Amino acid sequence: MAKKWVYKFSEGRASDRNLLGGKGCNLAEMTYLGMPIPQGFTISTEACTDYYDQKESISQEIQDQIMENLAWLEEFNGKKFGDPSDPLLVSVRSGARASMPGMMDTILNLGLNDVAVEGFAAKTGNPRFAYDSYRRFIQMYSDVVMEVPKSYFEKIIDEVKDKKGIKFDTEMDVDDLKELVSRFKATYKEAMNGQEFPQDAKEQLMGAVKAVFRSWNNPRAIVYRRMNDIPGSWGTAVNVQTMVFGNKGETSGTGVAFTRNPSTGEKGIFGEYLLNAQGEDVVAGVRTPQPISTLEQAMPEVYKEFMEIAQKLENHFHDMQDMEFTIEEKKLYFLQTRNGKRTAPAAIKIACDLVDEGQISEEEAVLRIEAKSLDQLLHPTFDADSLKAGEVIGSALPASPGAAAGKVVFTAEDAKAAGVGGGGERVILVRLETSPEDIEGMHAAQGILTVRGGMTSHAAVVARGMGECCVSGCGDINMDEENKKFTLAGKEFHEGDYISIDGTTGNIYDGQIATVDAKIAGEFGRIMAWADEFRRLKVRTNADTPADAKKARELGAEGIGLCRTEHMFFEEDRIAAFREMICSDTVEEREAALEKILPYQQNDFKQLYEALEGCPVTIRFLDPPLHEFVPTTEDEIKKLADAKGKSVDEIKAIINSLHEFNPMMGHRGCRLAVTYPEIAKMQTKAVIRAALEVQKAHSDWNVKPEIMIPLVCEVKELKYVKQVVVETADAEIAAAGAKLDYEVGTMIEIPRAALTADEIAKEADFFCFGTNDLTQMTFGFSRDDAGKFLNAYYDTKIFENDPFAKLDQTGVGKLMEMSLKLGKPVNPSLHVGICGEHGGDPSSVEFCHKIGLDYVSCSPFRVPVARLAAAQAAIAEKAAKKCDKCGSDSKSFVDDETKAKLEDAAKKAEEIAKELAEQSAEVAKAGLEGLKAGVDAAVKAYKEARNK
Ligand code: ADP
Ligand code: MG
Ligand code: MG
């Protein structure tokens, strides 16, 4: 039987998300619930994948199934597609598994042509409406399917309106719209090299379906996927749906609404609508929509039905719903529902409220919060005093909470160039309105301010998704985008001028207002407490200073996983001594210089131990190449020369000699300790003395130093450095007449270390994956230079993600797994963590949970993210196990004991084979036979076990 590629709404359910996409499966679910849904069908995501497999063409089989379903839809509606007297019109809508609002394309009013529009006008008795629908269709089809720029059409609309001196689209009469249609068609023809606008409805439909498939790979969708961890392999479904019309006059309209406030989480309908409007009008921000509450007076019956269905949907999905609806001559239709995107504060409030309302469990509540979004809660608000002094120059809609101050920029490109990821400046993107092309620039800005658009405008929705502050719809701004300036409150602002915006109040301020960081409290604290209950992974922080350590403790860190000691060498009073050390000729000279640094370093460590109150602190010994510490200015070189009693030229010669071609693979990490053991000695003294001091002052704490040796690739290397550490530490402890436990472990950040982890584990008390270096060395490209070519890798789809941001589970992950598998059996008390940037990335945290790490360590502000992600991984694992158990009859017929025996048998066979193989080539053959026999025996045992 042929594969099924197309499903009627009545044939699916919410559980078919992977196949039908989010929009399609929920349209199916709402149909199942008997709600007023314009009927239609969904072309599956598999058809999209097939389209790409077939070199971007739709197979005959799929085309046939689309036509069969179209025939059904015609019959269902009692209208014919392309009928000149009463045409069936449809929308063609994208819809992927994960909601990607505004990223892909939708076409409305498909099926109209020059003849059908007349029939449509006659049938509806509303020519204005018919021509309005037709001109919209030509516009969208041209843009989406044929990629004729939108601006061509907008320009014509403006000309027609200007000529008549009118402001709104709704003021255009039927003749204006007819003019639009003919001019649009001419524009189309010109742009398409003489090709006429397609008049055949079926051709229109296939063109639109293809365009939606294509839109899966448009640049903004690709960027959105990368930002949201959505795999490129998923594909989008296409929904073909009977049109209903919100543009039929003042008893028609269209809108979007949420069952709870997506900014604050407050319970209650929240939304807006426009009368006599269609589709995009509400979101595009062309006219400013009305709040949903006014619908109660305008159309009480419709309002009542709307409220009932909205509530039903929320109760059904047990989550806040984001709904799209259209009213056609007082008849209400729902066009979409989904679990609404929300800000992090709203997500927290809604999850807690749903638990209190008995709708979801605590575990579900924890799963409901997107770990990455917690960043937002830790985002700044305005400093109260600084705010009081601030001058409010305007206010508009509080579209996405948070506070931001920065320099004004007028284009997304400028924001990208100057902002995060570019020049690193704080910028506020000020625009008439934003469109999906702006997404990267929006990301790079601290905040977004728009002149047009409501709470559900593109800018608002996208900003909320990004956790970025946004104030929208400030009509008081007199904007001159072309000349990069605007006026507000009588003042002219240019590119580079400072403003501040508050996405929680909607206020706009002149100048820069200081911001302050947020705290974990209230409902946020409640969610985090639940998360802590469910997680197994511990969460530590990467911190080098007591201030960072304290912040991280406040945010829930359970220790320090990485303290980089080199940062401590750069400080004013120590760098001189350190440079003297570098330029020394003898061990004694070096020791003398290091002796000067020792008290500083000891004090640093003491403060860290105090900040951590007995929680573990891992201190990594000096890591970077010495060249990074040498002086660069003539002045400094002279100073150093004087201090060492050497000539300037001599110092310069030393500096030159330290130069390396590949410093990242150079004289650094434990290699420094091998060449200059006195550095490791000094650092050990500092660690142990600090620990002894703090332990003595706080007998109730368990101060147990963890000394970490970086960049180890060979066990003998670790053994050598460890011996230096142990001798020094034991002498210090003995001299103090005290008792102190300490550990010596290593970073696993060179592939060879992972490959020989069973050897290294013999000497290490712990492993910590330095996944920045491990990624760099595994891929063989430098993290400092990869940015220059990685874009080409995304464009050509060789990579979907930056491996330095998202852990490469396939390669780097395999090395990690291997290290655990090799290391743990050799040293059962070995504890293992990760301290690269990846430690705070949710999907990487999940991976670390899965392979059995003990802890992750990340920067202080990522600690809550990691705590939540760790809990989510544990909950998901539990759920998966439960699932396995239900299916146990069919799957797990081998019990643990049998499995162990099998593994044992296989291992023995392997050992015998190896032994034999080692004797001679001749005997090796026999060895292989032995192995084969062993495997056969294992297979036999396995079969027996299964039959039991
Ligand atoms: P997006 O995924 O960008 O929200 P949609 O497919 O939901 O795109 O379409 C956008 C809007 O177009 C909808 O909110 C709705 O107002 C309008 N629309 C889509 N399909 C129909 C339809 N069958 N009848 C009337 N309006 C429609
Ligand atoms: Mg939609
Ligand atoms: Mg490293």
Side-chain angles (χ1 to χ4, degrees), residues 23 93-94 101-102 106 256 280 322 324 335-336 338:
K23 198 178 288 168
R93 318 172 62 189
S94 57
T106 283
V256 293
E280 264 62 50
D322 167 358
E324 297 176 1
L335 290 171
Q336 189 173 348
R338 63 181 164 215

Side-chain angles (χ1 to χ4, degrees), residues 318-330:
H318 302 294
D319 200 357
M320 183 261 268
Q321 294 299 295
D322 167 358
M323 303 154 298
E324 297 176 1
F325 62 95
T326 283
I327 304 160
E328 179 178 334
E329 296 183 322
K330 293 199 171 177

Side-chain angles (χ1 to χ4, degrees), residues 513-570:
I513 296 176
T515 52
V516 284
D517 297 336
K519 279 209 167 59
I520 298 187
E523 281 167 329
F524 185 15
R526 225 175 138 198
I527 294 274
M528 291 316 294
W530 290 332
D532 289 345
E533 224 172 276
F534 302 135
R535 76 186 152 96
R536 178 190 62 71
L537 264 183
K538 297 257 180 223
V539 177
R540 297 196 190 180
T541 189
N542 299 348
D544 312 335
T545 65
D548 277 359
K550 277 206 193 90
K551 183 84 228 172
R553 288 276 291 150
E554 273 169 44
L555 297 174
E558 297 161 296
I560 290 181
L562 174 65
C563 161
R564 302 176 177 89
T565 50
E566 54 268 20
H567 292 180
M568 302 167 170
F569 289 109
F570 280 106

